[in-house]
């Protein structure tokens, strides 16, 4: 018996006819899920997929995507989920870089980079005759290749092993106190490790169930919660902002929800409080990286929550703050966040130099700035690369964003550095107001004057309808910087 606890073929004998996995088209028990996995694993084997290969899967969120992941693991192969909204060039880059042996996609018109492919509608659903599959993946085998968003260059494949995934999913199940009574509503994209670990593997370990929702909208979300009665979900700040922006007359039944998780990007304390009050549930903010297999810190649903922090280290991990020379700093000191534990990635695919720069003496260097308090709760300060240097003075955009968020009319805010002939860089803000709460740049500037020193005040505040996002839902700050440069050039 493998030490990995989330394999569906091991779970089926225990949980059998218990509800496991559903979407708009399928509703599977643990046994039915295991049978579908074995059926497709046999099909992959017939198509030549072997131990150590990579299977790419380019599908929107649906049951079949999870079947592909588990079927690849059944054969000792790794899986690389591809963003289904990618252009052909983006998809082919990932498929080629991962050296995928086969691609599962939506049909012949979908990108495959010239590799063999299986359309989702051609996936076998019935067990073949012959001997049962009995391969057992090792914990050290690479399970997932998750590609970074590529904001700092070409996307890199992060190699995560089954040991990484087992450690992370069991740690999350413990921290979130998941049981067989828990039911996750999946709304985040499955090409990202957050959805795979928090919403899929953790409830599988607990014997719980997962409902895969369709394309997110507030109306769809509220309907699914009322109909399916999930106990938790994981989302990004943008989704919480959309939910609390619904008119007051939108009456919702969220009584089944025990808690919500917020990750992928920082959420303002004000938005978090509004969401908790509006929907009557606990929201725990967490923090992590793909390179750290999803999450490294999280406020506990049933313990001490400190709003404005992302909580303490998850079980089995160590968080620390380090200076530029590699010295660990005491509580209350600002520096780079570093992480150690069995969650740290195996490495970047075929990029040993970048791996060695990122993981040094067992510490994963995050590129994020933060501080720990005496209780070990982590406060995020900002990304190192987003820091603005104005006339030699360091300015953290998140501090300005937090100050903007204290205005009742501000739903979201993003601050970026803009080139300046004298100071080098100056802060510029982009603000999304709440519906029916118009604000002006002058009002927001006056609001900030009471909260920030003059050097931190944005030289311009743009009130906009929406902020650009990357595929994971994070605010696209490189895109904002480019937008600002283009608009400045056009005016010039």
């Amino acid at each position: 018996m493998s030490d990995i606890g989330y394999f569906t073929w091991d779970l089926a004998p225990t949980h059998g006819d218990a509800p496991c996995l559903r979407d708009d088209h399928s509703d599977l028990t643990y046994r039915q899920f295991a049978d579908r996995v074995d059926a497709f694993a046999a099909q992959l084997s017939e198509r030549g997929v072997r131990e150590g290969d990579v299977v790419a899967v380019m599908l929107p969120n649906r049951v079949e995507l999870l079947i592909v992941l588990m079927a690849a693991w059944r054969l000792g192969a790794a899986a690389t989920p591809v963003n289904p909204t990618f252009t052909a060039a983006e998809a082919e880059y990932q498929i080629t870089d991962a050296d995928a042996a086969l691609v599962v996609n939506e049909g012949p018109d979908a990108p495959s980079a010239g590799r063999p492919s299986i359309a989702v509608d051609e996936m076998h659903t019935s067990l073949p005759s012959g001997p049962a599959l009995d391969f057992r993946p090792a914990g050290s085998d690479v399970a997932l290749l998750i590609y970074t968003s590529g904001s700092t260059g070409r996307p890199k494949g992060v190699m995560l092993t089954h040991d990484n995934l087992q450690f992370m999913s069991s740690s999350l199940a413990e921290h979130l106190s998941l049981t067989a009574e828990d039911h996750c509503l999946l709304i985040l994209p499955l090409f990202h490790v957050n959805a795979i670990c928090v919403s899929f593997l953790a409830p599988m370990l607990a014997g719980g169930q997962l409902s895969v929702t369709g394309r997110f909208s507030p109306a769809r979300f509220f309907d699914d919660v009322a109909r399916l009665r999930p106990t938790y979900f994981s989302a990004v700040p943008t989704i919480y902002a959309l939910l609390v922006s619904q008119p007051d007359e939108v009456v919702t039944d969220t009584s089944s929800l025990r808690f919500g998780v917020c990750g992928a990007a920082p959420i303002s304390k004000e938005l978090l409080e509004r969401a908790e009050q509006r929907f009557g549930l606990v929201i725990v903010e967490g923090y992590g990286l793909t390179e750290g297999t999803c999450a490294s810190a999280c406020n506990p649903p049933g313990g001490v929550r400190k709003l404005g922090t992302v909580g303490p280290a998850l079980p089995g991990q160590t968080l620390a703050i380090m200076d530029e020379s590699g010295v660990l700093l005491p509580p209350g000191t600002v520096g780079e966040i570093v992480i150690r534990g069995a969650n740290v990635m195996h490495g970047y695919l075929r990029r040993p130099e970048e791996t060695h720069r990122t993981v040094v003496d067992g510490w994963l260097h995050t590129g994020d700035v933060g501080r720990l308090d005496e209780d070990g709760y982590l406060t995020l300060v900002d990304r190192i690369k987003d820091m603005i240097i104005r006339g030699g003075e360091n300015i953290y955009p998140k501090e300005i964003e937090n100050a903007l968020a204290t205005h009742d009319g501000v739903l979201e805010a993003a601050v970026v550095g803009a080139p300046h002939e004298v100071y080098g860089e100056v802060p510029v803000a982009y603000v999304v107001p709440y519906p029916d709460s118009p604000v002006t740049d002058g009002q927001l500037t006056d609001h900030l004057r009471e909260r920030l020193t003059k050097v931190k005040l944005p030289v311009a505040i743009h009130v906009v309808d929406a902020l650009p996002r990357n595929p994971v839902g994070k605010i696209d700050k490189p895109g904002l910087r480019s937008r600002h440069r283009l608009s400045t050039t056009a005016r010039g």
Side-chain angles (χ1 to χ4, degrees), residues 11 15 18-22 28-30 178-184 199-211 231-232:
L11 294 170
H15 300 293
C20 179
L21 179 61
R22 71 182 56 78
L28 305 177
T29 65
Y30 273 84
L178 298 183
T179 71
E181 301 302 313
D182 277 301
H183 175 184
C184 181
S199 300
F200 175 46
L201 296 181
M204 292 298 100
L205 281 180
Q209 56 182 304
L210 169 63
S211 291
T231 60
Y232 80 99

Side-chain angles (χ1 to χ4, degrees), residues 9-147:
W9 51 91
D10 292 332
L11 294 170
T14 303
H15 300 293
D17 296 326
C20 179
L21 179 61
R22 71 182 56 78
D23 62 13
D24 289 342
H25 308 287
S26 303
D27 197 334
L28 305 177
T29 65
Y30 273 84
R31 184 172 287 109
Q32 289 167 334
F33 182 32
D35 288 346
R36 289 281 301 273
V37 166
D38 279 0
F40 188 59
Q43 185 179 1
L44 288 176
S45 181
E46 290 169 4
R47 295 292 300 271
V49 174
R50 298 289 181 265
E51 180 183 358
D53 284 343
V54 175
V55 175
V57 54
M58 187 175 180
L59 295 174
N61 280 14
R62 55 188 294 175
V63 161
E64 285 81 3
L65 195 160
L66 298 174
I67 290 170
V68 173
L69 298 188
M70 201 67 72
W73 299 342
R74 191 71 160 123
L75 300 173
T80 187
V82 183
N83 183 343
T85 68
F86 268 178
T87 64
E90 290 170 318
E92 289 174 2
Y93 167 80
Q94 180 174 334
I95 293 165
T96 303
D97 189 74
D99 194 20
L102 184 141
V103 182
V104 181
N105 56 30
E106 294 192 277
D109 295 331
S112 63
R115 310 287 167 124
S117 63
I118 297 174
V120 64
D121 293 337
E122 297 171 350
M123 290 175 62
H124 292 178
T125 59
S126 300
L127 288 170
S129 58
L133 296 165
D134 61 358
F135 183 85
R136 305 214 61 82
S140 59
D141 289 346
V142 175
L144 288 174
L145 278 175
I146 303 291
Y147 275 71

Side-chain angles (χ1 to χ4, degrees), residues 377-388:
Y377 282 64
L378 175 66
T379 297
L380 301 179
V381 175
D382 221 322
R383 289 285 297 165
I384 290 174
K385 63 183 176 59
D386 287 339
M387 186 174 67
I388 299 165

Side-chain angles (χ1 to χ4, degrees), residues 236-264:
V236 295
T238 307
I239 286 175
Y240 287 104
L242 287 169
L243 294 177
V244 300
S245 297
Q246 297 307 295
D248 291 339
E249 57 267 25
V250 175
V251 179
T252 59
D253 178 6
T254 56
S255 59
S256 69
L257 290 169
R258 186 160 65 87
F259 64 91
V261 179
C262 185

Side-chain angles (χ1 to χ4, degrees), residues 318-322 328 336-340 363-366:
T318 302
L319 290 175
I321 304 298
M322 187 177 282
L328 296 180
E336 184 183 12
I337 303 164
V338 291
I339 299 164
R340 174 175 271 170
W363 290 105
L364 172 63
H365 286 251
T366 66

Side-chain angles (χ1 to χ4, degrees), residues 258-480:
R258 186 160 65 87
F259 64 91
V261 179
C262 185
I267 186 171
S268 71
K269 181 180 177 181
E270 290 74 19
L271 176 55
L272 192 150
E273 287 176 334
R274 284 199 191 201
E276 288 196 336
Q277 292 165 6
R278 174 84 184 259
F279 306 115
L281 74 152
V282 169
I283 300 173
V284 293
E285 186 180 3
Y287 163 77
L289 286 75
T290 302
E291 290 88 342
T293 321
C294 174
S296 290
C298 187
N299 274 287
V304 176
R305 286 187 304 137
K306 297 186 181 183
L307 299 190
T309 79
V310 292
L314 284 169
Q317 296 188 50
T318 302
L319 290 175
I321 304 298
M322 187 177 282
D323 69 11
E324 293 177 355
S325 60
V327 175
L328 296 180
L329 301 173
T333 311
V334 172
E336 184 183 12
I337 303 164
V338 291
I339 299 164
R340 174 175 271 170
N343 60 303
V344 174
M345 66 174 177
H346 183 63
Y348 293 118
L349 180 66
R350 291 191 296 276
R351 290 172 170 84
E353 296 84 4
E354 292 189 58
T355 300
H356 293 145
R357 282 198 298 270
T358 305
V359 182
V360 182
D361 296 329
W363 290 105
L364 172 63
H365 286 251
T366 66
D368 290 323
V369 179
R371 64 177 176 274
L372 291 166
D373 68 12
E374 296 287 349
D375 299 321
Y377 282 64
L378 175 66
T379 297
L380 301 179
V381 175
D382 221 322
R383 289 285 297 165
I384 290 174
K385 63 183 176 59
D386 287 339
M387 186 174 67
I388 299 165
I389 304 177
R390 184 189 190 275
E393 184 162 349
N394 294 347
I395 298 173
Y396 291 108
K398 191 168 182 290
E399 183 182 2
I400 306 172
E401 292 162 2
N402 287 344
L404 283 164
T406 62
H407 190 287
D408 289 341
V410 173
L411 177 59
E412 290 188 290
V415 174
V416 295
H420 191 275
E421 289 183 1
V422 176
Y423 297 112
E425 283 185 302
V426 290
V428 172
Y430 290 82
V431 170
V432 178
Y434 277 97
D436 304 319
S437 298
V439 293
T440 66
D441 58 343
Q443 290 169 336
L444 294 173
T445 299
D446 290 342
H447 182 77
L448 290 181
R449 282 197 181 100
E450 301 173 3
R451 291 162 175 80
L452 298 173
T453 60
K454 186 176 180 180
V455 71
K456 297 176 184 176
L457 291 176
V459 299
I461 299 178
H462 303 283
V463 179
V464 296
D465 293 331
L467 296 170
R469 307 275 169 190
N470 69 14
V472 179
K474 295 181 183 180
I475 294 170
D476 179 13
K477 288 200 169 181
L480 269 182

